[in-house]
Amino acid sequence: MKLKEDIAIIGVGVTPFGELFEKSFEDLVVDAAYEAYADAGVTKDDVDAAWLGTTETPYISGNDGEAPNLGDYLALFPKPVSRVANFCTTGMEAVRHGAMAVASGMYKMVLVVGAEKMRDVPSRGSLIARHVNMTHPVLCKGRTAPGQFAIRATRYLHEYKLTDEVFAKVAVKNHKNGALNPKAHFRKEITLDQAMKAQMVAEPLKLYDCCPTTDGAAAVILTTKEEAQKRKADYVLLQGIGLAVTGGYYTTMFDADNSYLNFRATQEAAKQAYAQAGIENPRKDLDVAECHDCFTITELLNYEDLGFCKKGEGYKLIEDGVTHLDGEFPVNTSGGLKSTGHPIGATGVRMVSEITQQLRGRCEKRQVKNAKRGLAHTLGGPGIVSCVMVLGR
Amino acid sequence: MKLKEDIAIIGVGVTPFGELFEKSFEDLVVDAAYEAYADAGVTKDDVDAAWLGTTETPYISGNDGEAPNLGDYLALFPKPVSRVANFCTTGMEAVRHGAMAVASGMYKMVLVVGAEKMRDVPSRGSLIARHVNMTHPVLCKGRTAPGQFAIRATRYLHEYKLTDEVFAKVAVKNHKNGALNPKAHFRKEITLDQAMKAQMVAEPLKLYDCCPTTDGAAAVILTTKEEAQKRKADYVLLQGIGLAVTGGYYTTMFDADNSYLNFRATQEAAKQAYAQAGIENPRKDLDVAECHDCFTITELLNYEDLGFCKKGEGYKLIEDGVTHLDGEFPVNTSGGLKSTGHPIGATGVRMVSEITQQLRGRCEKRQVKNAKRGLAHTLGGPGIVSCVMVLGR
């Protein structure tokens, strides 16, 4: 099944990502929303309802991240504002809910904001760290995010007889792209040598294999295709939206063949989105993609799970330069989570913004030529929830 | 605007509410969902997606209340599962999102579960209490839930020259109804004398003016009207869904006339739902209602905000017995939050279940005769977010 109609994205806004100690959660939300309003050529009065995607903020700061506060900062009263959360897919979940709401006929135009303020607490104040302190049955055994993905990285190298240089190459590519993205947390290139000699975090993942902890917000304005055309907006359509949940926190379900490598959540979410968008050969039918490179290994596995290549061949795409900005199929033109950073609730919305701007031809130095169709993908929890969106002109 | 089609409720499930130390969060979710499946005559395989409404649980117990875990307990993998939260409207928000998703065409049948496990921590472990400990700028000044509603109660008595007996009468009515509800937390009648002589909590609100802290879960199965008819289901339609946000946590927006009594959130949410359902005279067009009696004063204000009477005349409905079970317009036939308890995420779903069962004629000793149309209403935060649903046959 699919939405009764494709929903149009008519405006996007992304704050600079980084360590934004001088900006409050409210500032980030307002900055992202007003950039999206301006881009769409609308005002807050045109918006019928709003969604907030945020994960850590309410845990850390109490009520600041709750839905009604979004209405507060943005002066949306008395309009409906809701909050959704689903681990690292939170931002894309907010977009998904906004799109379903417009397609349902309930609202004509909605604002979706994803935001996260993560640097105001020390690392040990973060949600995951607190769970470790709370003797969480899984996390207290060291199965933190780097630990979990390191297990897959180790097996990947073993299975395909590779060295960790393949991970470093992903980092080098994404830092190179990030250097061209004025909104990225890290806007500098790194060398392969730097990546290889970096400090170990969770073997075999080193410093540059891990995305940073970052503050930031992103927003999109969604409406019907009819309304977008009426307004002569420079719009992009949401042609497919897939969400899959394949495990709880303690019951990770691995890929169908139990290789303990790939993520079934991504495979299932992609299957839904591709069916809706009529995509049969992702590599051929898509021109650009943003995928969830929380760690470099994840990007390689995503290539396989999203059908950009066969299982076990993800590393070839980076070795052969296929996914480089000047390659045949550019992935993470923004710099990915690796360079832009990963403010959890914001990430999915930022990815949708990046693909929207690519399809509109507005990405300047990191623009992919003739991009007509693109994909955005997030993966959450211990690889057990994934959202995939196909965007097209 | 409204949903392109009315969505059908074909099954409901409610766990017993109470101090359920012997039941885990997982148990409650499973019990409610499987009762709803059985009632709808469906299995989990018929469900395309699910929503979880829960508020306190993830704060208290970490990941246990996150969306993917719902898929875990209920063996829904790899289907989409999402979590929404919006203070005390959380449960009804989950129903609202499920209904929009079905109306959008994305899914044919969805499961909505609201659940909360609140008694596993002492009162000082609760979300609000923790905010007080954290020197929350508002709550640390004593503006906890009882304190906030006590301010309105005081003004109500002053404004309309009443005594607190009017509050006690609401408590007596709701305890009487609760005694007829096998799922209620408190299933015993109380006398007016007991209510009047009870311990003071926040003047003028005494013990029986306040709803208890409770564990519980509720579930509903939603589908299209066409599918409900095809299955020959005993269904009820969602004819109107309103959500309004009229303040952040620090910026409560009072009613339009600034009397500091009524809740603009409820008024605005009702306006939306009534317009969608074509309701012009709520008292005449509706036969039964569940409203958010977190405190007895709230029920009286709700009568006014929901248009059951004029402003300042809410107390007359209870004085005249209009809203009693055998009155002209019964309100809170379940016993309300007062007697059933208030597991935050579960409450809204439980209310929708109660109205569904009233319209199906399945409420046994608390059945309202010939109920054709009913209303469910929740109010959240410091009275700044409200959801109103109109259900009909």
Side-chain angles (χ1 to χ4, degrees), chain B residues 224-376:
Chain B
T224 60
K225 185 177 168 183
E226 190 189 349
E227 180 67 16
Q229 290 174 337
K230 211 176 90 184
R231 289 175 173 267
K232 298 191 194 337
D234 184 9
Y235 69 90
V236 164
L237 293 173
L238 277 168
Q239 300 177 332
I241 303 176
L243 181 81
V245 171
T246 59
Y249 218 87
Y250 317 124
T251 56
T252 302
M253 178 180 280
F254 293 94
D255 43 320
D257 65 358
N258 281 325
S259 66
Y260 300 96
L261 278 169
N262 302 76
F263 295 103
R264 195 176 156 207
T266 297
Q267 295 166 357
E268 295 283 349
K271 196 193 290 181
Q272 296 168 26
Y274 291 164
Q276 293 167 24
I279 285 184
E280 290 174 1
N281 182 341
R283 174 86 167 271
K284 192 166 143 281
D285 298 343
L286 296 167
D287 304 307
V288 60
E290 287 282 307
C291 74
H292 198 86
D293 61 323
C294 49
F295 300 93
T296 49
I297 173 64
T298 327
E299 177 160 333
L300 299 180
L301 296 173
N302 292 338
Y303 292 169
E304 304 174 13
D305 293 334
L306 292 165
F308 301 161
C309 63
K310 285 183 193 160
K311 181 179 170 74
E313 297 190 352
Y315 70 93
K316 292 183 184 170
L317 299 196
I318 194 76
E319 297 276 14
D320 300 345
V322 173
T323 53
H324 282 237
L325 189 52
D326 58 0
E328 174 207 323
F329 186 69
V331 174
N332 286 331
T333 56
S334 65
L337 275 58
K338 181 79 267 296
S339 286
T340 64
H342 182 27
I344 301 177
T347 287
V349 186
R350 187 218 27 96
M351 289 172 157
V352 168
S353 301
E354 176 76 9
I355 297 299
T356 299
Q357 296 296 59
Q358 284 288 358
L359 302 191
R360 285 162 143 190
R362 298 193 196 177
C363 281
E364 302 184 346
K365 289 182 183 169
R366 62 185 197 282
Q367 179 64 44
V368 173
K369 280 185 192 147
N370 298 316
K372 302 286 179 215
R373 236 172 172 196
L375 173 145

Side-chain angles (χ1 to χ4, degrees), chain A residues 168-169 171-173 175-176 188-198 208:
Chain A
K169 286 179 178 170
V172 169
K173 169 183 78 75
H175 270 273
K176 194 172 173 187
K188 59 172 185 184
E189 296 195 29
I190 57 166
T191 64
L192 191 65
D193 191 56
Q194 276 179 300
M196 289 298 288
K197 288 181 179 159
Y208 291 108

Side-chain angles (χ1 to χ4, degrees), chain A residues 1, chain B residues 48 102 105-110 222-224 227 230:
Chain A
M1 297 181 76
Chain B
D48 301 314
V102 174
M106 188 67 104
Y107 310 111
K108 188 181 279 178
M109 191 180 295
V110 304
L222 306 177
T223 189
T224 60
E227 180 67 16
K230 211 176 90 184

Side-chain angles (χ1 to χ4, degrees), chain A residues 3-282:
Chain A
L3 295 183
K4 285 176 183 169
E5 55 177 321
D6 288 346
I7 298 305
I9 300 167
I10 61 168
V12 302
V14 180
T15 68
F17 278 22
E19 291 188 321
L20 309 175
F21 296 116
E22 76 287 9
K23 293 269 184 182
S24 66
F25 185 79
E26 294 90 325
D27 291 332
L28 295 178
V29 162
V30 170
D31 289 352
Y34 275 78
E35 188 174 306
Y37 289 151
D39 181 32
V42 304
T43 72
K44 72 182 179 63
D45 298 330
D46 295 308
V47 164
D48 300 314
W51 271 262
L52 170 65
T54 194
T55 304
E56 292 244 339
T57 308
Y59 292 84
I60 293 172
S61 62
N63 285 294
D64 291 343
E66 291 298 345
N69 292 62
L70 187 74
D72 193 357
Y73 318 149
L74 294 173
L76 294 175
F77 305 150
K79 294 172 183 177
V81 186
S82 305
R83 181 169 84 89
V84 292
N86 215 341
F87 293 109
C88 294
T89 67
T90 293
M92 224 176 272
E93 269 279 46
V95 177
R96 173 175 169 261
H97 281 88
M100 289 194 291
V102 174
S104 78
M106 189 68 105
Y107 310 111
K108 188 180 281 179
M109 191 179 295
V110 304
L111 167 71
V112 175
V113 181
E116 212 83 51
K117 193 92 176 86
M118 300 184 72
R119 302 294 312 181
D120 284 0
V121 289
S123 295
R124 68 185 147 77
S126 76
L127 185 57
I128 288 181
R130 286 194 339 190
H131 284 163
V132 177
N133 294 343
M134 286 160 69
T135 63
H136 186 290
V138 173
L139 295 172
C140 71
K141 295 187 176 66
R143 205 174 144 204
T144 58
Q148 289 181 55
F149 287 86
I151 294 170
R152 285 180 163 84
T154 301
R155 189 160 185 91
Y156 195 82
L157 297 183
H158 168 79
E159 197 76 36
Y160 305 122
K161 299 176 178 52
L162 302 165
T163 71
D164 53 4
E165 199 180 89
V166 72
F167 302 143
K169 286 179 178 170
V170 174
V172 169
K173 169 183 78 75
N174 289 351
H175 270 273
K176 194 172 173 187
N177 292 350
L180 304 176
N181 180 359
K183 305 289 183 76
H185 187 163
F186 297 136
R187 296 184 294 276
K188 59 172 185 184
E189 296 195 29
I190 57 166
T191 64
L192 191 65
D193 191 56
Q194 276 179 300
M196 289 298 288
K197 288 181 179 159
Q199 188 184 350
M200 191 63 76
V201 174
E203 195 180 352
L205 300 176
K206 307 192 199 84
L207 185 66
Y208 291 108
D209 293 308
C210 310
C211 74
T213 305
T214 301
D215 303 321
V220 297
I221 311 283
L222 306 177
T223 189
T224 60
K225 185 177 167 183
E226 190 189 350
E227 181 68 16
Q229 289 175 335
K230 212 176 88 185
R231 289 176 173 267
K232 300 192 193 332
D234 184 10
Y235 68 91
V236 164
L237 292 173
L238 276 168
Q239 300 176 332
I241 303 175
L243 181 81
V245 172
T246 59
Y249 219 86
Y250 317 124
T251 57
T252 302
M253 177 181 280
F254 293 95
D255 44 320
D257 64 359
N258 281 324
S259 66
Y260 299 96
L261 278 169
N262 302 75
F263 295 103
R264 194 176 156 206
T266 296
Q267 295 166 357
E268 296 284 348
K271 196 193 290 180
Q272 295 168 26
Y274 291 164
Q276 293 167 26
I279 286 184
E280 290 173 2
N281 182 341

